[in-house]
Amino acid sequence: MTGDTTGRAVRVIRLLHVREGREADFVRAYHDVQERARRSPGHLHEQLCRSTESPQQWLLTSEWESLDAVRRWRTDPDHATLIEPMNACLHDDRWTGVFHVMHPVP
């Protein structure tokens, strides 16, 4: 990545494939993670979306004040335990990307 991105907001994008029959468990576990994330310093907002064409495919996005805020969230000692119930509902073909927000909507 080129250019100075210090102080820019960061968006985390996760493309997920939920196991058939585990959708309710996934949503329940997601709400637990979301509730904790909301209390995490630097968390701005997030959104959970489900594909209209492939119902087992979900998109989770979250926005954070900075890359440091994301790193603190991910390295929190309780993070792995917190997300385990959600991840147990997923196939292994998941993808996560972290992006600096270059042009936020005013």
Side-chain angles (χ1 to χ4, degrees), residues 14 22-40 43 46 48 60 64 73 76 78-89:
R14 296 188 72 198
R22 298 295 309 270
E23 298 87 355
D25 295 333
F26 171 74
V27 171
R28 205 170 14 260
Y30 165 76
H31 284 296
D32 291 342
V33 173
Q34 178 191 36
E35 196 57 41
R36 175 72 185 274
R38 284 183 186 171
R39 296 190 310 266
S40 187
H43 180 265
E46 63 185 82
L48 181 64
L60 190 161
W64 298 79
W73 163 250
D76 181 301
D78 296 329
H79 184 259
T81 303
L82 180 66
I83 65 170
E84 180 53 36
M86 190 175 82
N87 286 344
C89 300

Side-chain angles (χ1 to χ4, degrees), residues 10-105:
V10 172
R11 181 158 300 141
V12 179
I13 298 173
R14 296 188 72 198
L15 186 58
L16 310 168
H17 186 182
V18 176
R19 295 178 190 278
E20 191 170 342
R22 298 295 309 270
E23 298 87 355
D25 295 333
F26 171 74
V27 171
R28 205 170 14 260
Y30 165 76
H31 284 296
D32 291 342
V33 173
Q34 178 191 36
E35 196 57 41
R36 175 72 185 274
R38 284 183 186 171
R39 296 190 310 266
S40 187
H43 180 265
L44 300 175
H45 57 86
E46 63 185 82
Q47 191 171 48
L48 181 64
C49 306
R50 188 175 190 178
S51 173
T52 59
E53 296 176 6
S54 178
Q56 298 313 118
Q57 192 171 49
W58 296 64
L59 176 70
L60 190 161
T61 65
S62 61
E63 192 161 331
W64 298 79
E65 288 179 352
S66 67
L67 187 55
D68 285 341
V70 173
R71 287 179 180 147
R72 282 191 303 272
W73 163 250
R74 287 182 162 183
T75 59
D76 181 301
D78 296 329
H79 184 259
T81 303
L82 180 66
I83 65 170
E84 180 53 36
M86 190 175 82
N87 286 344
C89 300
L90 304 175
H91 288 282
D92 289 334
D93 63 343
R94 52 194 129 163
W95 178 85
T96 300
V98 180
F99 300 85
H100 280 106
V101 177
M102 302 305 290
H103 296 283
V105 177

